[in-house]
Amino acid sequence: MQGNIVKVSGPLIVAENMADCRMYDVVEVSDKKLIGEVIELRGDRASVQVYEETSGLGPGEAVVSTGAPLSVELAPGLIGGIFDGIQRPLTRIAELYGDRITRGVSVSHLDREKKWEFIPLVKVGDKVRAGDFLGHVRETSIVDHKIMVPQGMDGTVTSIAQGEFTITETVAKIMTAAGEKEVSMLTRWPVRRGRPYREKMSPDMPMITGQRVIDTLFPIARGGVAAVPGPFGSGKTVVQHQLAKWADADIIVYIGCGERGNEMTDVLNEFPALKDPKTGEPLMQRTVLIANTSDMPVAAREASIYTGITIAEYFRDMGLNVAIMADSTSRWAEALREMSGRLEEMPGEEGYPAYLSSRLAEFYERAGVVRTLGTEERVGSITAIGAVSPAGGDLSEPVAQATLRIVKVFWGLSANLAYRRHFPAIDWLVSYSLYADRLSGWYVEHAAPDFKELRAFAVRILQEESELNEIVRLVGADALSGQDRLTLETAKSIREDFLHQNAFHETDTYSSIGKQCRMLRLIREYHRLGLEALAAGAPFERLSALPVREKIGRAKYIEEGELSSFDMIFAELKQEIRALEGGEEGV
C-alpha cells in the first residue's frame, strides 16, 4: 500500500491515501526508504514519526506501508550486540558504511550467516506448547540461549534437528491444529506489546548490587523498579554503570537513550575489559547495549526504550533474571514532547503530552517477577532502573514527578555530595525504598540475624547528625555534650567509611552483603563502646583520636577472602577503649 507525503515537519511527516494503514505500522518513506512508524490516523491521512533524518524530503514523495508493526528480532546473536534504537547493529553498519549512520541503511538486525550449534531438548512425538524449550545454543561462555516454541504453536514435534544452523534455518517442525509449522531460531515480537506470561508475582528477594548505600539502606527487589534522579554532574551514569557491572543479574540490557556519545563510549571500552565477578568472563558476554545518543534522530529515542524492554522480556521468558538500565527517561520524554508538539496536541504541564504518565507507567509495568509460559515451572524477572535528568535538578518537573508516582525505590542524587567527591552521591536524607520492610526477612536469613538493627542504627545516626548540624551552625560543636559529639563522629564514620565507595578501586568497587554487615557492625560497636567510655569519664578528644579509627576507615579495602581481619579490628577496638576507661596513658 502506497501513499504520498503532504507535509514534512522535522521528524514528523503526514501522508495521504493511507486509509488501510494501522496504528504503529512501519512504513518506508521516499525512495531513500527511511524507516518510520504510524502514530496517528485521521481519515486517509497518517502521521508518521521518522526514525532517521528527514531533511530534503518534500510533498509528493512515496510512503509505502510494510503492513507490520515495529518489531525486534530475537535469536542467538543478541548478547554482546550494540544496536541503535530500532535494533540496527552499529558494528555491522560501521563495517559496511563507515563511522556515520547514513540514511536509509538496510542491514539485517542479527547475523543471518553465522552458524550456531543447536542442541535439542525434545524428541519427535513430544507434545509442546508456547514457551517450552525446543533446544539450546551456547551463545557465550556465560549465556545458554534457549530456543522456545513461538506463540500459538502448541502441538506435537514431528521433526527436530541437531548440528550447526543459521538463525533462519528450520530446526524443528510442529504439527499444530492449523497444520505443520516450521520453527527456526529467529522470532520477531512487536516492541509496543508486552510478551505474555502465566502469572506476575510479588518480588520477595533483593537484587544485590555490591553498592553499600543501596544494598543496606535503600535496597531494590529483584523484579522491582527504581529511579535515579539528579542534576547534571551528580553521577547518574556512574551509578548506572556500577549497577550494570555488579548487579546480581544474569543479563544486562543497557539503553543509552539520548545521553552523550562519550558515555556510551565509556561503556563500550569498559565492559569488554571488565570481568564478571561470578564467572570471571568479560562482562560483555552477558550484556546487550542499545546506543541511541544525543546526536541521533530524536524520534528514535522513543523506540529505543521499547526495543530494550522487549529484549529483556525475551530473556526473562527463558527463566533468567534481567536488569535493564534506561539512561535516561528524561531524554525519552523529550522525544514524546517534540512529537506531541508537531502533532499539535493539547500540551500538558511544561509542554509534555498529557499521556506522559501513562507512557512511563507502560514501560515500568513491564518489569516484575513472573511465572513464564511453558509446561515446565519457570520464574524469570526484569528489574528496571531509570535515570531521570531534571533540568537544574528540579524534582518538581513533570518527568520526575510522574516517575516517582510509579517506582518504589528513589535514589535521589545530590549535587552537593558529588561536588564534595562523595560517590555514590545518593542522598540518604531524601532517598527511600518501599521494598525495605518486605526484604528485611531475606536479609535476616541470608545476610545477618541483626541486619534490621544495623540498618535502623545507621538511619537513626544519620538523621540525628542532620538535626545536630543545625545546632552546630548556631553555637559550634564545642557546645555539644560528649554523647552528641560522639554521634557526629559516628555519623562521619558511616558517611566516609561506609557509604562512600570508590568505583575505580578494584576492592572497594564491590562489597558483598556479608562485608557490608561487618563494616556497619564495627562502626556500631565503636559507638556503643564509646558511649560506655564517656559514661565512665573518658575524655571525648581521646576517644575520637583512637589509633583503631584509621583501621575502621580502611576496612572497606579488606579483600572479600580476608573478612576474618574484621575480628582483629574488633579486638583492637575493645582493647583500646578498655585502656581508655582505665585511664592508661599513651593510647
Side-chain angles (χ1 to χ4, degrees):
M1 186 190 140
Q2 181 171 321
N4 302 97
I5 295 176
V6 294
K7 174 185 173 183
V8 179
S9 173
L12 175 75
I13 66 159
V14 178
E16 62 184 6
N17 302 324
M18 304 287 286
D20 293 338
C21 252
R22 292 173 299 181
M23 280 290 284
Y24 302 123
D25 273 4
V26 172
V27 297
E28 293 176 346
V29 180
S30 82
D31 55 357
K32 298 184 180 69
K33 295 193 173 180
L34 307 184
I35 297 173
E37 185 182 22
V38 175
I39 57 171
E40 186 181 70
L41 290 168
R42 290 185 183 177
D44 73 336
R45 289 196 170 196
S47 298
V48 176
Q49 68 174 350
V50 183
Y51 293 132
E52 301 182 66
E53 179 59 49
T54 58
S55 58
L57 293 184
E61 295 193 60
V63 176
V64 181
S65 172
T66 63
L70 184 67
S71 303
V72 289
E73 293 187 348
L74 304 168
L78 280 171
I79 299 294
I82 305 153
F83 305 97
D84 74 353
I86 47 178
Q87 211 201 2
R88 293 182 297 188
L90 297 180
T91 45
R92 184 72 180 138
I93 289 172
E95 290 169 10
L96 296 175
Y97 299 95
D99 292 342
R100 307 299 293 180
I101 302 177
T102 52
R103 293 199 296 173
V105 166
S106 180
V107 182
S108 296
H109 295 178
L110 297 174
D111 193 336
R112 298 287 199 276
E113 296 169 10
K114 181 173 180 178
K115 287 187 177 289
W116 300 91
E117 180 73 27
F118 176 80
I119 301 165
L121 293 171
V122 295
K123 57 186 184 298
V124 173
D126 285 355
K127 292 198 177 305
V128 293
R129 63 188 198 195
D132 283 349
F133 295 153
L134 290 172
H136 64 105
V137 167
R138 196 71 188 173
E139 187 168 358
T140 69
S141 58
I142 300 175
V143 178
D144 193 25
H145 193 124
K146 301 293 196 301
I147 307 303
M148 295 175 283
V149 177
Q151 298 297 313
M153 278 206 196
D154 300 10
T156 306
V157 178
T158 57
S159 166
I160 186 77
Q162 180 167 358
E164 293 195 341
F165 301 91
T166 64
I167 59 173
T168 53
E169 290 177 328
T170 300
V171 294
K173 292 179 182 177
I174 299 173
M175 180 59 73
T176 70
E180 191 173 63
K181 300 285 182 82
E182 295 184 345
V183 180
S184 69
M185 290 189 266
L186 173 66
T187 58
R188 292 179 180 82
W189 192 265
V191 297
R192 293 179 184 274
R193 182 154 58 91
R195 286 173 65 88
Y197 48 81
R198 195 186 303 171
E199 178 192 2
K200 185 171 259 190
M201 304 183 297
S202 279
D204 60 358
M205 64 182 295
M207 183 176 79
I208 301 299
T209 65
Q211 310 308 300
R212 292 186 288 267
V213 65
I214 293 174
D215 291 346
T216 301
L217 296 190
F218 312 111
I220 180 170
R222 182 177 285 174
V225 289
V228 192
F232 175 79
S234 59
K236 291 183 296 296
T237 303
V238 172
V239 171
Q240 293 259 26
H241 285 197
Q242 283 296 95
L243 295 174
K245 291 171 193 172
W246 306 116
D248 183 22
D250 300 312
I251 304 288
I252 301 292
V253 180
Y254 190 95
I255 307 168
C257 178
E259 289 299 300
R260 293 173 293 284
N262 60 333
E263 294 179 356
M264 286 307 298
T265 307
D266 286 345
V267 174
L268 296 178
N269 288 335
E270 280 182 24
F271 278 32
L274 282 168
K275 295 286 184 264
D276 179 19
K278 287 184 286 188
T279 61
E281 299 294 331
L283 212 69
M284 203 66 195
Q285 293 196 12
R286 62 178 177 96
T287 304
V288 181
L289 292 176
I290 295 172
N292 193 249
T293 54
S294 52
D295 65 335
M296 292 180 175
V298 170
R301 293 180 193 173
E302 193 199 357
S304 66
I305 291 279
Y306 293 114
T307 298
I309 196 76
T310 306
I311 291 171
E313 287 177 332
Y314 174 63
F315 287 107
R316 174 206 70 192
D317 290 348
M318 296 180 198
L320 299 174
N321 298 307
V322 186
I324 181 168
M325 318 287 165
D327 188 13
S328 83
T329 53
S330 293
R331 304 285 90 83
W332 175 68
E334 284 173 7
L336 291 179
R337 178 165 63 180
E338 174 158 346
M339 295 311 299
S340 176
R342 292 185 185 278
L343 285 167
E344 299 175 8
E345 295 173 336
M346 183 69 74
E349 192 179 351
E350 291 188 24
Y352 287 101
Y355 48 77
L356 171 68
S357 294
S358 60
R359 290 286 175 88
L360 277 168
E362 280 174 21
F363 165 66
Y364 283 111
E365 283 169 9
R366 286 172 72 171
V369 182
V370 304
R371 193 166 276 117
T372 64
L373 297 180
T375 311
E376 185 185 317
E377 181 80 5
R378 288 197 306 275
V379 174
S381 70
I382 298 176
T383 309
I385 298 157
V388 184
S389 315
D394 177 18
L395 293 182
S396 65
E397 59 91 46
V399 181
Q401 286 299 306
T403 305
L404 288 180
R405 284 195 288 271
I406 300 161
V407 301
K408 292 195 171 183
V409 179
F410 172 76
W411 296 321
L413 294 171
S414 161
N416 289 334
L417 286 174
Y419 296 152
R420 297 206 300 263
R421 297 292 183 265
H422 180 108
F423 286 100
I426 295 174
D427 190 335
W428 47 86
L429 296 176
V430 300
S431 302
Y432 61 82
S433 169
L434 300 181
Y435 296 117
D437 290 339
R438 185 186 302 173
L439 300 175
S440 59
W442 185 94
Y443 278 107
V444 167
E445 185 178 343
H446 295 90
D450 59 344
F451 178 83
K452 288 172 74 173
E453 292 77 20
L454 288 170
R455 183 178 184 276
F457 163 75
V459 170
R460 176 176 61 81
I461 292 292
L462 291 169
Q463 287 174 343
E464 286 180 11
E465 181 200 33
S466 175
E467 295 164 7
L468 289 170
N469 279 338
E470 296 294 323
I471 300 170
V472 170
R473 288 191 193 100
L474 291 172
V475 296
D478 293 340
L480 297 178
S481 66
Q483 286 84 352
D484 286 343
R485 292 176 71 184
L486 178 63
T487 297
L488 290 178
E489 278 296 312
T490 306
K492 181 183 176 185
S493 187
I494 292 172
R495 285 189 287 106
E496 297 180 1
D497 305 337
F498 183 76
L499 298 180
H500 181 274
Q501 199 162 349
N502 187 346
F504 300 103
H505 190 282
E506 59 179 343
T507 302
D508 195 33
T509 186
Y510 177 89
S511 284
S512 68
I513 194 67
K515 181 178 173 181
Q516 294 180 39
C517 290
R518 282 180 169 87
M519 289 174 67
L520 204 48
R521 207 175 282 129
L522 195 57
I523 297 169
R524 183 181 66 173
E525 192 69 1
Y526 167 74
H527 186 74
R528 186 183 70 79
L529 293 174
L531 287 175
E532 290 178 3
L534 288 172
F540 169 77
E541 288 73 15
R542 290 179 60 195
L543 183 63
S544 63
L546 291 176
V548 77
R549 291 287 307 283
E550 185 179 347
K551 291 188 178 179
I552 294 174
R554 298 193 63 78
K556 63 173 77 174
Y557 302 118
I558 294 174
E559 300 277 350
E560 292 291 342
E562 300 172 4
L563 297 186
S564 58
S565 304
F566 279 94
D567 297 334
M568 296 165 59
I569 302 175
F570 266 110
E572 280 186 50
L573 174 62
K574 288 178 180 175
Q575 183 182 351
E576 290 184 13
I577 289 195
R578 201 176 298 120
L580 192 65
E581 289 174 339
E584 295 181 18
E585 293 298 323
V587 175

